[in-house]
Each structure stands twice: as C-alpha cells, then as structure tokens.
Amino acid sequence: MTSRKEYNDLPAHVAIIMDGNGRWAHQHLLPRYMGHRAGVKAVRRVVESCKDRGIEVLTLFAFSSENWRRPGDEVGLLMDLFVRTLKKEVETLKRNGVQLRFIGDRSAFNKKLRELIDMAEVYTRENTELVLVIAANYGGHWDITQTMRKLAHRVKEGSLQPEEISQELISGEISLADLPSPDLFIRTGGEQRVSNFLLWQLAYTELYFTDTLWPDFNEQALDAAIQSFRKRQRRFGQTGEQVEQLKGA
Ligand code: IPE
Ligand code: IPE
Ligand code: MG
C-alpha cells in the first residue's frame, strides 16, 4: 500500500548549497576553476528543471561570506565567472519568465558587479514563472545581524519598542521575507553541514544531503531529492497523528 505521505506536495521553495566543484575538477584532473565552470552548466540545468516542475522559488548558494578566505586567484576567477554568467544569462532568464534576485552583502562587490546585479533584478522583476535567488557574499550570521541592525535603528528613532520585537517582525525583515520559507534544502558534495547558509529561514526545512558533486547534479538528482521530500512527514512540533488528522480533514 502506498502511504499517503508519498503524496506530499511539491516543495514550493528549494534551497541548494552547490558544493563539490573543486573535487569534481580534481577528479577530472582539471584546475578548480573548470569545476566552477561546470557548476554553471549545472545551474542552468537545475533552473530549467525547477521551472518545469512548477517549483516557485529556487535559492542557490553561490558564494559565502567565508569564501573570501580562499586564495585570491580563485576568488578573482569566481567573480569573473559571476559577472560573465550574469551578463550572458540575463536575457534568457528574462525570456523564460525567471525573476532574478540576490541576497547577501553587496557592498563588498565592485561597482560594476553591483550595477549588474541591480540591473538584472530590475530587468526581470515582472517575471513570475520562477523566482531564482542567488546568495552571493551571503552568510546566515550576516543576515541576522543586518536584520537586528535595521530593527535597532527603528528602536532608536522611536518607531519601535523593544517589546514589539517578535519572531514575525524578524521574519518580515530578514532576507527572503516575502517568499515562502525553504521547504527543501539540498547540499551536494557529501558534506553534512549548513556552512552559514540560511540559518533563520531553515528552522523547519527538510534537509537532504547527497554525495553527488554539484557539476554532476541533474534532473534525476533533483527528482531523487524531491522524492525524498515527498515521503517525509512535516510535523512542525505536532504529533504524527495530529498531522494525519489535519490532512484527512
Ligand atoms: C562550491 O564548490 C562552490 C563555491 C563554494 C563557490 P567548492 O569550490 O567548495 O568545491 P569543493 O568543496 O572544494 O569540492
Ligand atoms: C558552501 O560551500 C558555500 C557555497 C557553496 C557557496 P563551502 O565549500 O564554502 O563550505 P565549507 O567551507 O566546506 O563548509
Ligand atoms: Mg566546498
């Protein structure tokens, strides 16, 4: 008998840590940079697959606030690749109904990249097929900090009382506030850690880890993750029986 749990809805929001580019390159006896290039191809495939499946939001971790600690050469090449990919893809994304957004601290990027990011957001903002969020110079600690700073300013101005600071208020100010919370988190590359990705937003996200290296990630790998998600029972603190009853109601 098929359990009804297999019929969980599709995740509305999928968030992915795209890890393993360096190891993929190593396996293929290539420089790390080639792994990142192959990673861009995987991004294209996965964006299309998510759109085809009716997923509403896809958030991709492209560069963490800690990735600046990598050798300067690699950081420079990653930035170049970021700029080139953005320039090259924005037209196709626009045509395909993809709305592009960025989260993370943009102030660390050079002016050219900041302008490109702003332009891409404005250019695609009417699109509704899929919201593609790129986390660039993003860190969960940074996100919580910038939210607290905004609220502290409001307290200082007198428009907010400390007692009014609530979970809802924080959720309303933090990155991705206007989007559904991530339902499914995927990390490729075999590591089982969150690496300072969406800390606040992942509170009740289903976690899925795969050994597949990011450049090898494809439609089938995405379906395997979705399938795993669909079999899970999300209880949000309740009992399994309560959840079954609610579903049956
Ligand atoms: C992820 O792949 C891409 C970025 C962090 C930019 P890695 O470059 O971390 O690949 P591994 O973990 O070294 O294999
Ligand atoms: C996480 O991968 C960041 C991105 C994929 C952009 P890392 O490769 O930087 O994570 P750690 O250092 O292994 O935790
Ligand atoms: Mg890595």
Side-chain angles (χ1 to χ4, degrees), residues 17-19 61-64 67 70 187 191 193 195:
I17 298 190
M18 311 183 286
D19 197 21
F61 205 5
F63 191 85
S64 80
N67 286 146
R70 294 192 176 198
R187 182 174 186 141
E191 310 299 344
R193 55 179 171 250
S195 299

Side-chain angles (χ1 to χ4, degrees), residues 220-235:
Q220 288 73 34
L222 177 69
D223 283 336
I226 293 173
Q227 196 52 26
S228 164
F229 171 83
R230 290 186 124 175
K231 286 187 176 144
R232 301 180 192 193
Q233 186 185 45
R234 304 184 79 189
R235 291 193 280 274

Side-chain angles (χ1 to χ4, degrees), residues 81-240:
L81 187 63
F82 191 19
V83 170
R84 277 193 289 120
T85 306
L86 202 53
K87 279 189 184 159
K88 191 161 162 224
E89 300 296 327
V90 75
E91 201 56 57
T92 315
L93 292 170
K94 161 102 171 173
R95 207 171 41 243
N96 291 344
V98 179
Q99 183 187 126
L100 201 52
R101 294 208 206 170
F102 295 83
I103 56 171
D105 183 2
R106 302 175 189 200
S107 68
F109 295 138
N110 66 37
K111 189 160 171 276
K112 199 173 101 197
L113 182 49
R114 287 202 308 270
E115 283 172 0
L116 208 54
I117 286 174
D118 293 346
M119 184 278 284
E121 285 187 327
V122 173
Y123 193 56
T124 60
R125 73 177 162 204
E126 309 294 339
N127 282 348
T128 53
E129 286 273 307
L130 172 77
V131 178
L132 172 61
V133 183
I134 305 294
N137 193 22
Y138 178 88
H141 286 164
W142 165 84
D143 202 1
I144 294 169
T145 307
Q146 60 109 15
T147 305
M148 295 308 148
R149 201 176 292 135
K150 275 192 227 161
L151 297 181
H153 277 297
R154 283 166 57 184
V155 170
K156 192 178 167 198
E157 278 169 2
S159 63
L160 179 70
Q161 295 304 310
E163 307 71 50
E164 290 168 349
I165 297 179
S166 62
Q167 215 168 290
E168 289 70 31
L169 199 70
I170 297 171
S171 297
E173 287 293 341
I174 206 156
S175 298
L176 310 177
D178 61 325
L179 299 171
S181 310
D183 300 293
L184 171 63
F185 159 103
I186 300 172
R187 182 174 186 141
T188 62
E191 310 299 344
Q192 302 200 356
R193 55 179 171 250
V194 176
S195 299
N196 200 17
F197 195 27
L198 306 159
L199 299 180
W200 177 273
Q201 298 86 341
L202 291 179
Y204 262 108
T205 306
E206 296 296 327
L207 307 181
Y208 178 87
F209 298 95
T210 171
D211 288 337
T212 303
L213 302 172
W214 177 251
D216 291 328
F217 197 83
N218 56 18
E219 210 170 339
Q220 288 73 34
L222 177 69
D223 283 336
I226 293 173
Q227 196 52 26
S228 164
F229 171 83
R230 290 186 124 175
K231 286 187 176 144
R232 301 180 192 193
Q233 186 185 45
R234 304 184 79 189
R235 291 193 280 274
F236 298 100
Q238 292 187 302
T239 67

